[in-house]
Amino acid sequence: MNVGDWTERFQGTRALPRPVRDRLLEIARVRTYPKGRQLFAPQNIPDSLLFLYEGTIRVSQTSDNGREIVLYRLEAGESCVLTTACMLAEEAYNAEGVAETDVIGVTLPKPAFDGLVAEEPAFRDFVFAAYSRRLIDLLRVVDDVAFGRIDVRLADRLLTLVGANKEIAATHAQIASELGTAREVISRVLHDFQKRGYIAQSRGRITITDKPALRVLAGNA
Amino acid sequence: MNVGDWTERFQGTRALPRPVRDRLLEIARVRTYPKGRQLFAPQNIPDSLLFLYEGTIRVSQTSDNGREIVLYRLEAGESCVLTTACMLAEEAYNAEGVAETDVIGVTLPKPAFDGLVAEEPAFRDFVFAAYSRRLIDLLRVVDDVAFGRIDVRLADRLLTLVGANKEIAATHAQIASELGTAREVISRVLHDFQKRGYIAQSRGRITITDKPALRVLAGNA
DNA sequence: TGTCATCATGTGACAATGTCACTGAAGGCG
DNA sequence: CGCCTTCAGTGACATTGTCACATGATGACA
């Protein structure tokens, strides 16, 4: 897999001196992972830092009784620091990362990572910023789950998932696991959205017919 | 305020070479804060890293409609990286840190912090470990709030709050804000605990009378 | 000491969400 | 077509959150 000079793609590497970048291009491995592939899990923690060159990774957490909630998504240009966090942590946790699309990633072995953090302020800032981003994301999740209404959260998530398109290919159960709730709850609220004319549904497919209304409901009007 | 060689107190500084530690003792400022003092908030982000020498800091988040949830507590020997995270983050968040006891802290200005992270692997590991710790804490909070039962969470929190003692000095409202729920809910569950003989109550005070039973309920049997 | 203000707690009705046990519908495939 | 699996709909009920109050405890102060 040749993606050319991937160091151009990341804030943390773009700002590095040319020689350092050349060395990175040698050291790091570019790899592809198919959609659906589990990239990390409690039992399976990689010993390197992952830069996401292309695609999306969904990071989620599963409860003891099997329910799931999506914590955040990694987009191209970001790096997955949760894995580095987990390397250090001895405590139990249960987050996992799954490739949501076909993914191209660059893996940087831990020694090289350590060296860069030590020597390159730009890289260091990038790493800390990545940590911050995740912390902030989690704060948002806590806020939503603890204090948010399910219809508001669902409206917001539908808008996120649909992006610039009109349709979402997802079952009610999948959406429920986005928000950490039960399938029946999603079915009921979607039914309500449908009655109000915000969406149309068919098996495994949701068509957004009134984005503005959803935005109002989501509070992102 | 003279606390002697505080660098002895922290994993991240204990392992540093003597000369570095001596320099730290010169640069960093030891300060005390009274119980109840707000140490950081969205509007009030310190530009230095805080090492907690003595006391406890409660980090909590408040929702738009005024409800609050405790995210985690900082104990002596830990450092508060959330502030460094927030320094970098441009996004909105609403976590705040309040001194839960009188507190002695050591503040390290950002330049010195940057220098240490760059030059001292031991310090760097300490910082990353602190980040990991917080991430894991937040994962736990998400799990509890999204999937946990309120009686189980309350039992667990009561045990945490009571520590090795027998009594907790807290109102129902305060406990509710620990768990991000409503006062009435806590009242009801505590009433139930009382009927079962797990606790005794008086105004602003809860006495744990059956720790083992609470542990069983909390799943930490 | 009585009165009052304030805060902590109790309570019932109801709303929102989660759980359970089903049912029927849709689509894939022999 | 008939069978099987997955998806979605539904009603009953449990848990939790919200609201509007009532009651009780405490302390300030005339």
Side-chain angles (χ1 to χ4, degrees):
Chain A
M1 170 60 55
N2 188 349
V3 295
D5 183 357
W6 58 263
T7 61
E8 195 58 41
R9 191 99 168 199
F10 300 91
Q11 269 200 16
T13 52
R14 195 159 46 217
L16 299 175
R18 192 68 249 174
V20 177
R21 288 171 62 175
D22 288 337
R23 224 179 99 244
L24 271 181
L25 291 173
E26 279 177 48
I27 295 174
R29 274 195 69 187
V30 178
R31 290 202 51 184
T32 65
Y33 305 91
K35 173 175 174 173
R37 169 69 167 279
Q38 190 183 65
L39 299 177
F40 64 89
Q43 306 78 22
N44 160 31
I45 298 172
D47 57 352
S48 39
L49 179 72
L50 180 71
F51 291 96
L52 188 53
Y53 184 80
E54 203 174 288
T56 309
I57 297 173
R58 184 182 63 236
V59 179
S60 63
Q61 180 170 225
T62 304
S63 77
D64 295 334
N65 58 357
R67 249 167 60 197
E68 194 183 1
I69 184 170
V70 172
L71 299 172
Y72 56 83
R73 289 184 159 77
L74 271 164
E75 308 287 343
E78 299 183 315
S79 84
C80 185
V81 290
L82 186 60
T83 58
T84 69
C86 295
M87 279 191 276
L88 294 167
E90 298 175 11
E91 306 188 45
Y93 72 100
N94 39 10
E96 65 163 4
V98 173
E100 196 162 40
T101 62
D102 286 347
V103 152
I104 305 176
V106 181
T107 54
L108 187 64
K110 189 161 190 324
F113 169 78
D114 286 341
L116 276 179
V117 169
E119 291 158 25
E120 299 295 338
F123 186 79
R124 191 158 61 233
D125 290 347
F126 174 73
V127 170
F128 280 121
Y131 267 98
S132 309
R133 187 72 186 285
R134 292 316 143 215
L135 276 171
I136 303 274
D137 284 348
L138 287 185
L139 291 183
R140 173 71 193 277
V141 173
V142 170
D143 194 83
D144 282 357
V145 172
F147 308 123
R149 290 178 52 89
I150 197 70
D151 51 354
V152 174
R153 294 175 60 210
L154 178 55
D156 185 67
R157 191 56 61 107
L158 288 178
L159 289 169
T160 303
L161 291 174
V162 80
N165 308 322
K166 289 183 148 189
E167 281 191 353
I168 299 168
T171 66
H172 294 185
Q174 286 169 334
I175 295 175
S177 77
E178 288 276 330
L179 300 179
T181 182
R183 198 256 318 157
E184 296 92 320
V185 175
I186 297 298
S187 291
R188 280 199 285 252
V189 180
L190 282 180
H191 196 76
D192 182 54
F193 284 1
Q194 191 175 26
K195 271 199 300 189
R196 295 200 231 168
Y198 299 172
I199 64 167
Q201 296 189 73
S202 64
R203 188 190 172 89
R205 181 169 308 279
I206 297 166
T207 309
I208 310 293
T209 53
D210 191 347
K211 278 194 195 181
L214 285 178
R215 282 204 201 91
V216 169
L217 183 53
N220 309 331
Chain B
M1 170 60 56
N2 189 349
V3 295
D5 184 357
W6 56 264
T7 62
E8 195 58 41
R9 191 99 168 201
F10 300 92
Q11 268 199 15
T13 53
R14 195 158 45 217
L16 299 177
R18 192 68 249 174
V20 177
R21 289 171 62 174
D22 288 337
R23 225 179 99 244
L24 271 182
L25 291 174
E26 279 178 48
I27 296 175
R29 273 195 68 188
V30 178
R31 290 202 51 185
T32 65
Y33 305 91
K35 174 175 175 175
R37 169 67 166 279
Q38 190 183 66
L39 299 178
F40 64 90
Q43 307 78 22
N44 162 29
I45 298 172
D47 56 352
S48 40
L49 180 73
L50 180 71
F51 291 96
L52 188 54
Y53 184 81
E54 202 174 288
T56 309
I57 296 173
R58 184 181 64 236
V59 179
S60 63
Q61 180 170 226
T62 305
S63 77
D64 295 336
N65 58 357
R67 252 170 55 199
E68 192 183 1
I69 184 169
V70 172
L71 300 173
Y72 55 83
R73 287 184 161 77
L74 270 164
E75 308 288 343
E78 299 184 313
S79 84
C80 184
V81 289
L82 185 60
T83 59
T84 68
C86 295
M87 279 191 275
L88 294 168
E90 299 175 10
E91 304 187 46
Y93 72 100
N94 39 10
E96 64 163 5
V98 173
E100 198 163 41
T101 62
D102 286 347
V103 151
I104 305 175
V106 182
T107 54
L108 187 64
K110 189 162 191 322
F113 170 77
D114 286 340
L116 276 178
V117 169
E119 292 158 26
E120 300 295 339
F123 186 79
R124 190 158 61 234
D125 289 347
F126 174 73
V127 171
F128 280 122
Y131 267 98
S132 309
R133 187 72 186 284
R134 292 316 144 213
L135 277 170
I136 304 275
D137 284 347
L138 287 185
L139 291 183
R140 172 71 193 275
V141 174
V142 169
D143 194 84
D144 281 357
V145 173
F147 309 123
R149 291 179 53 88
I150 197 68
D151 50 354
V152 174
R153 294 175 59 210
L154 178 55
D156 185 66
R157 190 57 60 106
L158 287 178
L159 289 169
T160 302
L161 290 174
V162 81
N165 308 321
K166 288 184 149 190
E167 281 192 353
I168 299 167
T171 66
H172 294 185
Q174 286 169 335
I175 295 174
S177 78
E178 289 276 330
L179 300 179
T181 183
R183 197 257 318 156
E184 296 91 321
V185 175
I186 297 299
S187 290
R188 279 200 287 252
V189 180
L190 282 179
H191 196 77
D192 182 54
F193 284 1
Q194 191 176 26
K195 270 199 302 190
R196 294 200 231 168
Y198 298 172
I199 64 168
Q201 295 187 74
S202 63
R203 188 188 172 89
R205 180 169 309 278
I206 297 167
T207 308
I208 310 293
T209 53
D210 191 347
K211 279 195 196 184
L214 284 179
R215 282 203 201 92
V216 169
L217 183 54
N220 308 333

